[in-house]
Amino acid sequence: MSHKIYIVGMGPGKEEMMTGEALCALERSDVIVGYTVYLDLLQERFREKELLSTPMRQEKERCILCFQEAEKGKQVALVCSGDAGIYGMASLMYEIGKDYPETELQVIAGITAASSGAAVLGAPVNHDFCVISLSDLLVPWEKIEKRLKAAADGGFVIVLYNPSSHKRKDYLQKACDILLETIEEERACGYVENIGRDGTKAETCTLKELRDRQVNMFTTVFIGNADSEIINGKLITKRGYDVNNRRLSK
Ligand code: SAH
């Protein structure tokens, strides 16, 4: 018998920010598997479903649980925050899925924090941009450092995921110090905490100020490029249009 597992990106938090396709997949499922924080967000709407979780860091176990439940004949959805293919579990599911050739996987795209956070701040990533995670759990710090330098050299807008955790309180500061080797202190930046969840908080500041800000693990950080500017409290990356010439072209 063949089975199918949905790998669902649920967006940043609230239901309105989930795609229709994601909601349909969850509605069609008997079992929803995920990290407890995300299941809590879904609990009310999907209370009749079986909700299963494994603690943080037990990602492999969570994936195996999905395949085991699917083999029992249940329709399973694995939920990840944002997009499941961006620092999510989609690739791990395919790797572990090699042992479960009978099970088909379907990834359902979600709104990633770079996109939902950008919307809160204004329009900070309206040009070429890089996304870099500061978590060194799976990537050595030297590699992260190299990527930060390359992104600064390339003139990209930079979006930082995982800017902090209990064990890595000074990582944002370390990252800013690397960026400040190339980028001027006054560069326009911003960050958003709890996007699409209770207590959304957005701030704009300079790169020098960002260096000394304390952010938590539910924060996404934006470092503008040379064309970024704070306009009426919003972080905007200009695309190069000539807005001084307001005459409409015929
Ligand atoms: N798959 C997720 C990213 C997971 S990595 C996505 O596509 O968005 C976890 C990091 O994502 C967090 O440390 C934070 O930097 C960012 N993030 C995810 N959800 C967020 C939210 N609701 N508010 C702010 N940042 C968020």
Side-chain angles (χ1 to χ4, degrees), residues 9 11-14 38 41 80-89 110-117 132-133 159-164 168 192-197 200 216-221:
K14 64 180 173 194
Y38 310 139
L41 292 166
C80 296
S81 77
D83 185 282
I86 300 179
Y87 309 116
M89 310 252 289
I111 304 180
T112 191
S115 202
S116 54
I132 301 175
S133 165
V159 185
L160 300 177
Y161 281 45
N162 295 302
S164 176
R168 302 180 287 111
V192 193
E193 194 180 303
N194 289 324
I195 306 158
R197 300 180 190 169
T200 305
N216 64 22
M217 64 188 288
F218 300 112
T219 308
T220 301
V221 175

Side-chain angles (χ1 to χ4, degrees), residues 5 15 34 49 52 59 95 101 115 118 124 132 146 154 161-162 173-174 179 207 237 246 250:
I5 299 175
E15 190 182 313
K49 310 282 182 191
L52 298 178
E59 284 81 10
E95 284 181 81
S115 202
I132 301 175
K146 215 165 144 187
Y161 281 45
N162 295 302
Q173 194 172 60
K174 280 167 54 177
L179 297 175
L207 180 56
T237 296
R246 306 278 172 101
K250 291 202 176 123

Side-chain angles (χ1 to χ4, degrees), residues 15-201:
E15 190 182 313
E16 294 90 322
M17 295 185 80
M18 224 186 276
T19 67
E21 194 181 19
L23 279 169
C24 267
L26 295 181
E27 262 156 19
R28 255 185 254 139
S29 298
D30 308 302
V31 184
I32 303 177
V33 180
Y35 171 46
T36 37
V37 173
Y38 310 139
L39 292 185
D40 287 349
L41 292 166
L42 296 173
Q43 207 167 18
E44 214 167 297
R45 162 85 190 239
F46 296 100
R47 76 175 78 229
E48 79 286 8
K49 310 282 182 191
E50 199 179 335
L51 302 176
L52 298 178
S53 69
T54 61
M56 194 156 80
R57 302 277 174 83
Q58 297 202 2
E59 284 81 10
K60 274 191 278 184
E61 289 75 2
R62 207 175 305 152
C63 292
I64 293 167
L65 181 65
C66 290
F67 288 104
Q68 288 170 340
E69 290 297 309
E71 281 189 331
K72 291 181 194 163
K74 297 180 192 172
Q75 177 57 58
V76 177
L78 170 66
V79 288
C80 296
S81 77
D83 185 282
I86 300 179
Y87 309 116
M89 310 252 289
S91 47
L92 183 57
M93 281 294 284
Y94 279 97
E95 284 181 81
I96 291 178
K98 282 185 195 164
D99 293 339
Y100 300 88
E102 295 287 283
T103 307
E104 188 196 334
L105 300 176
Q106 185 182 345
V107 178
I108 293 174
I111 304 180
T112 191
S115 202
S116 54
V120 177
L121 281 171
V125 286
N126 217 338
H127 218 291
D128 296 346
F129 70 104
C130 278
V131 176
I132 301 175
S133 165
L134 296 190
S135 169
D136 61 355
L137 285 177
L138 299 171
V139 178
W141 177 255
E142 297 69 47
K143 209 175 209 177
I144 297 171
E145 215 172 275
K146 215 165 144 187
R147 288 176 181 168
L148 287 166
K149 283 185 183 150
D153 273 348
F156 291 97
V157 169
I158 304 169
V159 185
L160 300 177
Y161 281 45
N162 295 302
S164 176
S165 76
H166 298 303
K167 288 196 186 136
R168 302 180 287 111
K169 285 207 182 315
D170 63 339
Y171 276 33
L172 178 60
Q173 194 172 60
K174 280 167 54 177
C176 287
D177 283 339
I178 293 163
L179 297 175
L180 281 163
E181 289 169 14
T182 320
I183 301 175
E184 76 284 358
E185 291 183 345
E186 297 308 310
R187 179 64 58 87
C189 295
Y191 53 95
V192 193
E193 194 180 303
N194 289 324
I195 306 158
R197 300 180 190 169
D198 289 342
T200 305
K201 188 181 118 187

